[in-house]
Amino acid sequence: MVSENPVKEHRGIPKAIFLEDVDGYMAKDTQRTAADVLKEFDEQLQKYKYMELNLIQRKKRLKAQVPDIEKTLEIVRHMLNKKEEFQTHFMLSDQVHALATVPPTDTVCLWLGANVMLEYSIEEAIALLTKNLTTATVNADQLEQDLGYLSNQITTMEVNMARVYNWDFKRRKALAEK
């Protein structure tokens, strides 16, 4: 990192400090070469890119969850309003559907994940699904903000690397001219 104590900011993502004075920064420790600094910056950049990859994967999972939750919530609300037997097409897999007759009921079973299914009253199911939908939407928005912040940190590190490289190039060119 650019400083010895990087500032933690934005939900645990360390802030990349912009290197304004390359001469001053490189003069702090005369034992470190430009290659050492570039290696250090590259390591930090790779960490940022790894974080970005993880956030993108989490965002994709959330984006897939939201439509499923909305669809389930719509069905459960329909069951709350429908107090008589009705027929529907039940999805067995992506391409296979079966005709099902649904009797009037006061309870529904919801998959919670990890092969766990629980039975809820329709009102409890609506409350749970609404809460899950709100949480998923908020998390997706936070991930979007995190990705924007991370993108800025990546850009800052890339600019820092370019500035150190250019500083070293000018220094070597000046040494070669002497």
Side-chain angles (χ1 to χ4, degrees), residues 41-177:
F41 285 0
D42 188 53
E43 287 173 1
Q44 187 63 33
L45 179 63
Q46 295 311 313
K47 289 177 187 176
Y48 283 136
K49 288 188 177 187
Y50 179 74
M51 287 182 220
E52 182 182 43
L53 180 66
N54 286 333
L55 290 178
I56 288 171
Q57 289 173 346
R58 284 177 50 199
K59 181 180 166 187
K60 282 181 182 178
R61 281 194 305 269
L62 273 176
K63 291 239 183 236
Q65 279 181 341
V66 169
D68 290 343
I69 295 171
E70 288 173 338
K71 191 163 94 174
T72 304
L73 186 57
E74 179 185 337
I75 291 168
V76 172
R77 283 186 176 142
H78 178 74
M79 290 178 74
L80 179 66
N81 297 332
K82 202 86 156 156
K83 294 297 183 189
E84 59 201 43
E85 186 175 279
F86 64 94
Q87 286 192 338
T88 185
H89 286 88
F90 185 102
M91 186 171 73
L92 297 174
S93 68
D94 287 337
Q95 301 296 323
V96 180
H97 291 75
L99 186 62
T101 302
V102 181
T105 183
D106 293 332
T107 61
V108 293
C109 295
L110 297 177
W111 284 107
L112 299 181
N115 293 326
V116 175
M117 179 186 272
L118 287 179
E119 184 175 4
Y120 291 95
S121 71
I122 291 181
E123 292 80 14
E124 289 174 332
I126 289 173
L128 177 69
L129 290 168
T130 303
K131 182 181 125 254
N132 289 353
L133 181 60
T134 302
T135 302
T137 305
V138 166
N139 287 346
D141 292 342
Q142 287 178 348
L143 283 174
E144 198 65 45
Q145 291 171 2
D146 290 350
L147 282 168
Y149 179 79
L150 206 47
S151 175
N152 289 339
Q153 303 318 298
I154 289 171
T155 301
T156 301
M157 289 308 297
E158 288 172 341
V159 168
N160 285 344
M161 289 175 70
R163 290 173 55 99
V164 169
Y165 180 82
N166 290 340
W167 174 86
D168 187 46
F169 180 79
K170 288 178 186 176
R171 183 187 60 81
R172 282 187 279 137
K173 184 177 178 184
L175 286 174
E177 289 176 355

